[in-house]
Amino acid sequence: MEISIPNKHKDFFQNVYDVVRLIPEGRVTSYGAIAKYLSAPRSSRMVGWAMNSAHGIPDVPAHRVVNRNGMLTGKMHFSSPTEMEDRLKMEGIDTEKDKIVDFKNHYWDPSEELSI
DNA sequence: CCATTGACTTAAG
DNA sequence: CCTTAAGCCAATG
């Protein structure tokens, strides 16, 4: 009989979700960092695509994922246009014009913190 | 199969 | 600091 072949991209998506769940409170990371941690440094867009499918996935702090510039590019995809910055504010992260203040100080790199 | 799009990134002006 | 252009990979039409 045939064995159910799991979709590769599904694993990738789950892997992204897993990494996002590991982001500590009050910390943020970038799509590229996650992609790099997944051995796909050129697939930063795929991370964003995975997050787009993350709707309905519990325990996935998507608000802690921003672009390389510390800009809240994904804020528009939240339930409310201010939900992302509001959540970050709640965790002690300030934002200025959709950009995280002192971004590098809050930056969290999975490849570094998780020791690969 | 080809064209377009996207929660990205880097480089150049 | 902001805008454009190009590169990049997968999903979608």
Side-chain angles (χ1 to χ4, degrees):
Chain A
M1 64 307 192
E2 291 79 12
I3 299 173
S4 299
I5 302 173
N7 297 328
K8 290 194 240 179
H9 65 270
K10 183 177 181 186
D11 291 337
F12 183 79
F13 280 27
Q14 288 297 329
N15 206 344
V16 172
Y17 303 148
D18 188 38
V19 174
V20 175
R21 290 193 189 97
L22 293 176
I23 303 174
E25 204 170 290
R27 297 281 186 176
V28 291
T29 191
S30 64
Y31 305 93
I34 296 174
K36 179 172 183 158
Y37 179 71
L38 298 178
S39 302
R42 309 297 180 183
S43 300
S44 55
R45 286 182 141 141
M46 302 304 94
V47 177
W49 208 274
M51 299 306 296
N52 198 4
S53 301
H55 285 283
I57 305 293
D59 299 324
V60 178
H63 62 281
R64 294 182 190 146
V65 183
V66 296
N67 73 345
R68 211 33 165 152
N69 213 10
M71 194 159 143
L72 282 57
T73 50
K75 65 178 286 186
M76 62 168 78
H77 294 273
F78 281 77
S79 304
S80 207
T82 57
E83 182 177 339
M84 190 171 187
E85 46 191 290
D86 188 48
R87 280 172 174 260
L88 290 173
K89 187 82 171 183
M90 182 175 65
E91 298 184 359
I93 299 176
D94 293 324
T95 56
E96 182 80 18
K97 291 188 288 238
D98 298 342
K99 286 178 298 194
I100 294 177
V101 179
D102 199 358
F103 172 59
K104 64 183 180 122
N105 190 30
H106 294 291
Y107 187 63
W108 180 85
D109 189 343
S111 299
E112 296 291 329
E113 301 299 325
L114 298 180
S115 302
I116 308 173

